[in-house]
């Protein structure tokens, strides 16, 4: 469902980048990129801490069955934010397209497949067991990743 939307947006972005010779050297791009990475790092940290709070408050930290098989109603608002975040993360691809002057083939197949299918997989997992484990691990990885991209390069 979302795979076609992803590719339509990315192909359109590639065409615009090529047509107008856009790149990542503009000072507004650098400011936007910094704000983007800070924001996604903080949102990921918020969701990570919220997920940990749910695990601790529900006393399910050692209950593998509840962690992996049950959907928790208290987690629903956080999972909705998590799901919508998958679309915002499509800007990662646009950032990489700007770095590669709009060449879609300079981006790895893994990157395209990951960003194309994750919204579908997340949508399918909403309200199912194990969603908290997926959210916690993904948010930890994204908190560290976006935090790294904010740090100054030497």
């Amino acid at each position: 469902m979302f795979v076609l939307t992803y590719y339509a947006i990315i192909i359109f972005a590639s065409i615009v980048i090529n047509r107008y010779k856009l790149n990542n050297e503009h000072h507004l791009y650098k400011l936007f990129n910094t704000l983007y990475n800070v924001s996604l790092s903080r949102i990921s940290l918020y969701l990570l801490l919220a997920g940990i709070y749910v695990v601790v408050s529900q006393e399910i930290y050692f209950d593998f069955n509840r962690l992996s098989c049950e959907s928790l109603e208290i987690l629903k608002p956080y999972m909705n934010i998590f799901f919508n975040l998958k679309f915002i993360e499509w800007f990662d691809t646009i950032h990489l397209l700007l770095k590669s002057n709009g060449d879609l083939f300079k981006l790895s197949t893994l990157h395209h497949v990951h960003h194309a299918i994750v919204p579908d997989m997340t949508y399918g997992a909403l309200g199912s067991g194990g969603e908290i484990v997926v959210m916690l691990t993904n948010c930890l990885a994204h908190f560290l990743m976006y935090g790294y991209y904010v740090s100054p390069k030497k």
Side-chain angles (χ1 to χ4, degrees):
M1 176 166 69
F2 302 115
V3 173
L4 294 176
T5 306
Y6 168 80
Y7 282 109
I9 290 170
I10 297 311
I11 290 170
F12 176 75
S14 179
I15 291 168
V16 169
I17 289 167
N18 282 315
R19 170 121 169 87
Y20 295 103
K21 307 290 186 234
L22 301 174
N23 61 41
N24 63 339
E25 296 301 318
H26 196 277
H27 70 281
L28 286 178
Y29 166 80
K30 291 179 180 181
L31 174 65
F32 175 78
N33 195 31
T34 300
L35 292 173
Y36 172 81
N37 288 322
V38 167
S39 298
L40 263 62
S41 181
R42 288 186 176 182
I43 292 169
S44 295
L45 177 62
Y46 168 75
L47 291 173
L48 176 66
L49 294 176
I52 291 170
Y53 171 77
V54 167
V55 168
V56 171
S57 69
Q58 299 295 306
E59 298 180 356
I60 57 174
Y61 26 87
F62 292 120
D63 190 346
F64 184 75
N65 186 50
R66 287 192 66 201
L67 276 174
S68 62
C69 299
E70 289 183 20
S71 176
L72 303 170
E73 190 63 33
I74 190 173
L75 194 62
K76 190 173 183 176
Y78 305 113
M79 285 305 295
N80 288 332
I81 295 169
F82 179 70
F83 171 65
N84 288 309
L85 201 55
K86 301 301 115 190
F87 297 103
I88 294 169
E89 290 168 2
W90 284 355
F91 279 107
D92 293 354
T93 306
I94 294 172
H95 291 299
L96 292 173
L97 282 173
L98 285 166
K99 286 183 179 181
S100 67
N101 297 317
D103 187 355
L104 284 170
F105 298 105
K106 286 189 178 176
L107 279 66
S108 73
T109 303
L110 175 64
H111 177 89
H112 283 299
V113 170
H114 171 75
H115 284 281
I117 66 172
V118 165
D120 277 324
M121 292 173 60
T122 305
Y123 181 75
L126 290 175
S128 64
E131 63 190 357
I132 192 162
V133 175
V134 172
M135 187 181 88
L136 287 173
T137 55
N138 187 274
C139 287
L140 175 61
H142 282 101
F143 166 65
L144 296 172
M145 179 184 73
Y146 289 115
Y148 170 79
Y149 289 134
V150 170
S151 64
K153 311 294 184 278
K154 291 184 180 181

